[in-house]
Amino acid sequence: MTKLSSLFILLISTASFAQVTFNPGIRAGANFPHLSEGPIKEYWYNMVDNFGYNDSGINEYDVKTKVDFYLGFQANIRFSKFYALQPEIYYTRQGAQLDSKAPGVSSKTITLSYIGSAVVNKFYIEKFNIHFGPTLELLTDSKNFKSVSDADLGFLLGAGYDITKNIGVEARIKKGFVNVYNSHTNVTFQTGFYYTFNLKK
């Protein structure tokens, strides 16, 4: 307990000395997701009797980008003129458009919905910022697709621009590392805006 107390006091002292600022905010925008690793193959079956199934073929789909959205909250902790740490929590809809290669087989849109969190490092150059960090996302719902994993670990890389003191725009690329189907992983390009609230000292 003594060590924890000393560490806490040190952090508070450091924060006070560095004049750390804290500004919560919201983020929202458009997702342009797809799945990696080329075409998706789905096996289909015909029932032959009451005891089993007969392997009848394979449907193959080309993976295309779809359009969806994200919405979340951020907490910008500014340690200096050049650096901030920004924890985030958000809702994001990902997936892909699957175009069938087989005659008579319909194309489909798949959607994977996640509640996610990120720890973003932001480096500022005047009004511009470059940011990156790890992400953790938990699957809440899926449509037209059965993910083999209920969670996804990933990494994001992006850039932003502060239009005003409170409003900015951003663009990011986020890559998942967990297979959601065979060797396929989530890849999402995001573009949107953020709004931060000023807190009185």
Side-chain angles (χ1 to χ4, degrees):
M1 289 297 293
T2 303
K3 291 182 179 180
L4 289 176
S5 300
S6 299
L7 178 60
F8 180 74
I9 293 172
L10 178 62
L11 289 174
I12 295 298
S13 301
T14 303
S16 300
F17 179 77
Q19 296 183 334
V20 173
T21 60
F22 172 77
N23 296 101
I26 58 174
R27 302 173 53 250
N31 279 345
F32 301 91
H34 68 275
L35 299 180
S36 66
E37 305 300 331
I40 284 181
K41 295 181 180 180
E42 288 187 349
Y43 295 89
W44 56 282
Y45 304 86
N46 280 336
M47 181 178 288
V48 293
D49 51 36
N50 293 328
F51 301 100
Y53 293 84
N54 180 36
D55 187 354
S56 300
I58 299 174
N59 291 334
E60 188 170 294
Y61 298 88
D62 281 329
V63 179
K64 304 293 185 180
T65 299
K66 58 173 271 190
V67 180
D68 227 306
F69 73 94
Y70 69 91
L71 175 66
F73 301 94
Q74 65 183 34
N76 187 277
I77 308 170
R78 192 77 173 257
F79 288 95
S80 72
K81 180 181 178 180
F82 304 104
Y83 175 74
L85 185 66
Q86 184 169 287
E88 300 176 356
I89 185 168
Y90 53 86
Y91 173 77
T92 179
R93 284 165 54 100
Q94 298 167 191
Q97 174 70 33
L98 302 186
D99 292 344
S100 175
K101 291 185 175 182
V105 179
S106 299
S107 299
K108 61 182 180 179
T109 300
I110 63 174
T111 300
L112 300 173
S113 300
Y114 294 92
I115 294 292
S117 62
V119 180
V120 182
N121 299 276
K122 302 185 77 171
F123 293 89
Y124 291 86
I125 306 172
E126 299 297 334
K127 293 185 177 182
F128 291 93
N129 65 80
I130 298 172
H131 50 267
F132 61 88
T135 64
L136 171 62
E137 298 175 345
L138 303 179
L139 184 68
T140 60
D141 189 31
S142 60
K143 181 179 179 182
N144 294 329
F145 190 75
K146 177 62 176 176
S147 175
V148 297
S149 176
D150 292 330
D152 191 15
L153 289 170
F155 189 84
L156 65 85
L157 176 65
Y161 179 78
D162 296 333
I163 300 174
T164 69
K165 184 177 180 180
N166 302 99
I167 301 173
V169 292
E170 62 184 7
R172 294 179 174 180
I173 181 74
K174 183 166 61 68
K175 174 69 169 66
F177 299 131
V178 178
N179 294 335
V180 296
Y181 181 81
N182 292 341
S183 59
H184 302 277
T185 57
N186 286 310
V187 181
T188 305
F189 176 75
Q190 298 179 324
T191 181
F193 75 95
Y194 50 88
Y195 182 89
T196 57
F197 301 93
N198 295 327
L199 297 182
K200 294 182 179 179
K201 295 183 179 180

